[in-house]
Amino acid sequence: MKNRVVITGIGAITPIGIGKDAFWNALLEGKSGIDKITRFDATEYTAQVAGEVHDFDPTEYIDKKESKRMDRCTQFAVAATKLAFEDSKMDLDREDRDRIGVIIGTGIGGIETLHNQYTTLFDKGPGRVSPFFIPMMIGNMAAGQTSIIFKLNGPSSCVVTACATGTNSIGDAFKLIQHGEAEVMVAGGTEACISPAAVAGFCSMKALCSDYNNEPQKASRPFDKKRSGFVMGEGAGVVILESLEHALERGAYIYAEVVGYGSNSDAYHITSPSPGGVQAAKCMEKALKDANLKPEQIDYINAHGTSTHLNDLTETAAIKSLFGKHAYELSVSSIKSMTGHLLGAAGGIECIATALTIDNNIMPPTINYTEPDEELDLDYVPNQAREKVVNVALSNSLGFGGHNACLILKKYVK
């Protein structure tokens, strides 16, 4: 018998709000977190907008001395974990910490630290490079520091699957609990990539939207005919997963049950999705099979929905291919229209949004949807949140390198 797995705690650090309530309320209001880049001078960049996290003070969550030894992406992860544990009302002093693990991934890792230390190396020489450079930069430190700070001795690892990272992290953690390898898992993704080198790299790929530098809040427009590239975002999304037995034993509030997980590869191209979304459809199908559900039981899809021409076209094609007639009866939306694309953290905050959708029976909108594309003809919940009883929902993540990941969440029923 496999253990049932539920979500009992939520930690969100996002461009539209810090904490579960601020994040969720902003989603329902259709609030955009996209604005001009302030973390560096982006005047000479073709894309000059991003979803930055404002009013984040790491010392509210982490000892001041320790916070200085962490890259911003690790700070986000630790802060989101603290918020998630607080939300779960779990008393760690009463728990078996050998049975609590961490899987927090990142797509890029400590790139801000990398940039700063290379500047120091070139300007001042090797003797001035920080002794904390390497442990601040390497991607696994989000999970490592989280394990250390909260004294969690269970399985600890870091997933790096580009934009599918957060979803793979939660899916892998789900499987560990399901098969009895852990009782509680801290899982999700983190990213702090609004730095000169990262933005320059994406600009050179022509992947970023550069058409709305003077109208930042209109830049991210998934599924809209005028979409022209994604908008970078930063932040972290972390959930507390527990076996149902453990959650009930301590009287935890349950947001949703995790019932299915699928993961596969396009094996096609380093950045472009495979034509027709064949493997993305198979990934969703794997998640449905894992959950023992039929396609027509899905009420809502939290789409990857990046606002690039190819992604939105491919994901829509994949949904239509798998769901057939039911594709026109379910609803689809992309919160990236508000948050931007948080890369390795995207799947984390989108899992949170999906759980809250199920818990509240309200679907967040796809904002900036003003001109339908003839090839994209599904219900994308345009511009305004909508009430709907959502019993089962699916969350997609599709990453560079061909990584596809899908989670299925369900209303908890005894």
Side-chain angles (χ1 to χ4, degrees):
M1 291 289 291
K2 293 178 182 177
N3 294 316
R4 292 172 68 180
V5 181
V6 293
I7 296 173
T8 58
I10 286 171
I13 307 286
T14 81
I16 57 174
I18 295 175
K20 176 189 69 180
D21 294 338
F23 170 60
W24 180 241
N25 291 337
L27 284 182
L28 298 187
E29 292 167 9
K31 176 184 174 183
S32 173
I34 312 302
D35 212 331
K36 287 277 193 179
I37 291 172
T38 63
R39 294 197 61 77
F40 64 92
D41 183 0
T43 306
E44 296 182 8
Y45 289 67
T46 53
Q48 300 169 6
V49 302
E52 297 179 342
V53 174
H54 297 290
D55 302 320
F56 175 74
D57 179 358
T59 63
E60 290 181 13
Y61 312 93
I62 311 162
D63 174 78
K64 186 175 182 180
K65 183 179 178 182
E66 289 300 316
S67 73
K68 289 181 178 179
R69 296 175 178 178
M70 297 180 192
D71 185 83
R72 185 170 167 88
C73 81
T74 301
Q75 293 174 350
F76 284 160
V78 173
T81 300
K82 188 171 191 293
L83 290 171
F85 270 129
E86 288 173 354
D87 185 53
S88 75
K89 297 179 172 59
M90 186 181 294
D91 183 355
L92 286 173
D93 290 334
R94 300 180 65 178
E95 298 292 335
D96 179 357
R97 293 174 194 251
D98 288 343
R99 299 282 289 157
I100 305 177
V102 180
I103 303 181
I104 298 178
T106 178
I108 294 178
I111 195 165
E112 191 169 81
T113 295
L114 181 67
H115 178 90
N116 292 340
Q117 292 302 310
Y118 262 109
T119 299
T120 299
L121 172 66
F122 296 141
D123 291 349
K124 300 178 181 178
R128 299 295 297 276
V129 170
S130 170
F132 295 103
F133 169 38
I134 300 302
M136 286 175 70
M137 176 199 71
I138 51 181
N140 69 297
M141 275 301 163
Q145 286 277 29
T146 298
S147 297
I148 292 165
I149 287 170
F150 295 94
K151 297 179 170 49
L152 309 177
N153 303 110
S156 177
S157 66
C158 168
V159 173
V160 183
T161 49
C163 313
T165 294
T167 299
N168 279 135
S169 297
I170 294 168
D172 291 352
F174 159 60
K175 289 298 174 184
L176 284 174
I177 297 174
Q178 196 178 56
H179 293 286
E181 296 297 318
E183 207 154 40
V184 177
M185 290 295 295
V186 177
T190 186
E191 207 75 85
C193 51
I194 316 299
S195 73
V199 177
F202 281 115
C203 283
S204 293
M205 290 171 59
K206 302 191 185 309
L208 300 182
C209 174
S210 58
D211 295 341
Y212 293 89
N213 287 332
N214 295 320
E215 297 178 288
Q217 297 187 347
K218 295 181 180 180
S220 187
R221 42 197 322 113
F223 307 111
D224 186 77
K225 190 169 186 176
K226 292 181 179 177
R227 67 191 185 281
S228 59
F230 77 85
V231 177
M232 290 176 72
E234 63 173 359
V238 169
V239 294
I240 304 299
L241 301 179
E242 296 184 55
S243 68
L244 176 60
E245 183 181 8
H246 185 270
L248 293 178
E249 211 171 76
R250 67 180 194 86
Y253 182 82
I254 296 171
Y255 289 99
E257 183 173 359
V258 185
V259 293
Y261 171 48
S263 178
N264 71 355
S265 175
D266 283 349
Y268 172 72
H269 189 270
I270 57 173
T271 57
S272 296
S274 60
V278 175
Q279 294 302 325
K282 286 183 178 180
C283 184
M284 289 186 279
E285 188 175 28
K286 285 181 71 174
L288 284 166
K289 184 177 180 181
D290 188 46
N292 196 26
L293 293 171
K294 297 177 181 178
E296 55 267 28
Q297 290 178 271
I298 299 295
D299 300 307
Y300 168 72
I301 295 176
N302 188 296
H304 189 56
T306 61
S307 186
T308 63
H309 177 75
L310 281 179
N311 174 88
D312 296 0
L313 190 67
T314 301
E315 189 172 11
T316 296
I319 292 168
K320 288 159 75 168
S321 167
L322 177 61
F323 290 93
K325 181 183 175 183
H326 186 61
Y328 295 92
E329 297 167 357
L330 54 76
S331 301
V332 181
S333 70
S334 171
I335 68 167
K336 289 184 180 74
S337 58
M338 294 170 272
T339 64
H341 191 347
L342 273 64
L343 307 182
I349 67 160
E350 287 160 19
C351 175
I352 289 170
T354 305
L356 292 173
T357 294
I358 289 171
D359 190 45
N360 293 282
N361 291 314
I362 307 175
M363 301 179 296
T366 304
I367 69 166
N368 295 321
Y369 187 82
T370 58
E371 188 173 342
D373 186 318
E374 294 81 358
E375 296 180 277
L376 310 182
D377 56 352
L378 302 180
D379 170 21
Y380 300 112
V381 194
N383 302 313
Q384 290 188 328
R386 186 193 308 159
E387 291 187 6
K388 178 181 179 179
V389 175
V390 177
N391 291 309
V392 188
L394 182 153
S395 183
N396 277 333
S397 292
L398 317 173
F400 281 180
H403 302 286
N404 303 315
C406 176
L407 285 169
I408 297 180
L409 308 185
K410 190 178 181 182
K411 268 194 200 308
Y412 165 65
V413 180
K414 291 182 182 179

